[in-house]
Amino acid sequence: RARARGGAGCATPRGGGGAGPAPAGRPPPAPEARADAARALAHVSDGVVLTGRDGRLVFWNPAAAELLGLDDGDRAGRPLPELVPSWRAATSPGNGGSTAPVVLPVTTGAGERWLSVTSADFGDGVVYALRDVTEEHALETMRSDFLATASHELRTPMTSIYGAARTLLARDGELDAERRVAFLEMIANESERLARIIDEILLASRLDAGDVDFATEPCDAVALARSVLDAAEIRAPRNVELRLAAPSDLPTIACDPNRLRQILLNLVDNAIKYSPEGGEVVLSVALIGEGLRFTVRDNGIGFPADETERIFERFYRVDPELRQGIGGTGLGLYISRELVERMNGRISAESAPGRGSTFAVDLPLAPDAQPHLPSAE
Ligand code: ADP
């Protein structure tokens, strides 16, 4: 990436953009050489900043102006920490030395960026090299978020399984048949939950690697929706009612039935999970334009409208206080969106805190789709 925009900032504008004072003990470079250096630095995509011995700004190239949000000219002569408050984290090198990179946040009119800053002492001052590492920093944050979430999410069922197995081992003779079955059920349910979390993590990483196959075929949407509710019913608490709302003569859609089942089951599971007070979860199917729309509606805790885009991001979960301690990896909706888009569909959401949520999945009709007529029986 080369930048040709704008010129370099300099504390001595008449110098035509100087490359800073000369290293100690050497004669200062000729004005043309300084102008060449400044011109060359104007094309470097990394930011370069020079300060004098007193820490005041002497020179910066256009990339540095953009990264730090510096204005032309009028910033010269001011100390860097005054212009960029987080700058204090960038350590200064000792005499003639240089520093290892320090990563610090900088807020400009364009938002927050993370910069990697290295510095070197050149005798009469310090030269700083700045690199935009916002993307790397976001990835790093995501990786550590993931480790924290995954280990917590795996630990919770593990603890229950271990506790139940230990109890059965230690007190088997004392437990009546009913309690023994309750512990065994807990082991089975929590093992299944563990397996689901691990499957989610593996599927998300396979989707990232583009390593997921799709077998698209004409599908009977209503039969598929019904099978999703049957599967969800097994896990649904007693205070949640599941309902299907669909006409019986819908045309077939083009989709991979296993993938679509996985998407809808995830949406229905979420609807149940985020409805701690119970209520009704409705899965509906309807014809819209050139396709079918599956809608999953609940009357649970909901989420703020401005989180609508972010909840589809990998590992993203709405503020813990709003989630009322409900567990999850933040991968389900990310996986659902990836799968829907790979079947040429679209997923969207609408909600407000305390007002329930509605998720919609739109998929195209199968080529030559015929209305699916209910069977004769
Ligand atoms: P998880 O449920 O494992 O956290 P998801 O990717 O399925 O991850 O969902 C991301 C976030 O979106 C959830 O953490 C939750 O805050 C919010 N969310 C998803 N579905 C619902 C829903 N039906 N009602 C309220 N919030 C929801």
Side-chain angles (χ1 to χ4, degrees), residues 270 273-274 298 302-303 311 316-318 328-330 332-333 357 359:
N270 272 353
K273 186 165 86 167
Y274 295 104
D298 65 64
F303 54 85
I311 56 170
Y316 189 78
R317 309 200 69 216
V318 175
T329 56
L333 288 181
S357 313
F359 286 81

Side-chain angles (χ1 to χ4, degrees), residues 200 266-267 270-275 298 300-303 311-313 316-319 323 326-335 351 356-359:
E200 263 189 356
N266 176 46
L267 296 180
N270 272 353
I272 297 169
K273 186 165 86 167
Y274 295 104
S275 301
D298 65 64
I301 60 174
F303 54 85
I311 56 170
F312 291 99
E313 288 175 14
Y316 189 78
R317 309 200 69 216
V318 175
D319 187 309
R323 275 186 277 128
I326 300 165
T329 56
L331 283 174
L333 288 181
Y334 168 73
I335 290 172
S351 184
S357 313
T358 304
F359 286 81

Side-chain angles (χ1 to χ4, degrees), residues 38-290:
R39 252 201 312 277
L41 285 175
H43 291 268
V44 173
S45 64
D46 283 356
V48 178
V49 173
L50 258 65
T51 60
R53 283 249 69 92
D54 55 3
R56 286 171 189 282
L57 210 52
V58 175
F59 169 91
W60 63 93
N61 70 348
E66 193 187 326
L67 291 174
L68 296 174
L70 300 175
D71 297 334
D72 282 353
D74 60 346
R75 300 291 199 186
R78 291 178 60 191
L80 255 174
E82 202 177 282
L83 298 169
V84 184
S86 60
W87 195 262
R88 291 175 210 289
T91 45
S92 300
N95 261 352
S98 58
T99 62
V102 173
V103 175
L104 47 90
V106 172
T107 307
T108 67
E112 188 186 65
R113 277 205 181 101
W114 287 81
L115 303 183
S116 164
V117 180
T118 49
S119 55
D121 185 298
F122 65 93
D124 289 346
V126 178
V127 57
Y128 293 93
L130 325 176
R131 204 160 55 80
D132 188 345
V133 292
T134 310
E135 274 178 34
E136 288 94 324
H137 184 264
L139 264 178
E140 193 42 55
T141 310
M142 203 153 76
R143 225 188 317 269
S144 63
D145 282 357
F146 165 67
L147 278 178
T149 312
S151 30
H152 176 260
E153 285 302 308
L154 294 174
R155 184 128 284 293
T156 314
M158 273 309 289
T159 309
S160 310
I161 294 169
Y162 182 73
R166 277 269 161 226
T167 311
L168 282 173
L169 279 173
R171 299 174 40 204
D172 191 30
E174 308 159 30
L175 298 173
D176 56 28
E178 199 180 319
R179 297 196 62 201
R180 211 169 34 242
V181 169
F183 279 116
L184 287 171
E185 264 175 1
M186 180 192 284
I187 293 177
N189 292 341
E190 295 296 298
S191 305
E192 197 203 332
R193 182 168 152 204
L194 263 185
R196 275 213 307 274
I197 295 169
I198 293 167
D199 284 349
E200 263 189 356
I201 295 172
L202 290 177
L203 180 56
S205 82
R206 280 178 52 213
L207 280 164
D208 288 346
D211 185 24
V212 177
D213 295 328
F214 288 84
T216 305
E217 55 184 74
C219 298
D220 174 352
V222 178
L224 201 140
R226 200 172 288 126
S227 76
V228 167
L229 289 185
D230 288 345
E233 192 90 54
I234 298 167
R235 294 200 283 266
R238 251 188 291 255
N239 61 348
V240 175
E241 195 187 322
L242 305 181
R243 191 160 65 81
L244 176 67
S248 51
D249 56 349
L250 290 170
T252 49
I253 45 168
C255 77
D256 179 323
N258 289 327
R259 300 294 176 205
L260 179 57
R261 208 171 285 122
Q262 188 168 12
I263 295 160
L264 296 175
L265 192 53
N266 176 46
L267 296 180
V268 172
D269 275 344
N270 272 353
I272 297 169
K273 186 165 86 167
Y274 295 104
S275 301
E277 309 295 329
E280 192 184 47
V281 172
V282 184
L283 170 55
S284 41
V285 194
L287 192 60
I288 51 142
E290 296 296 292

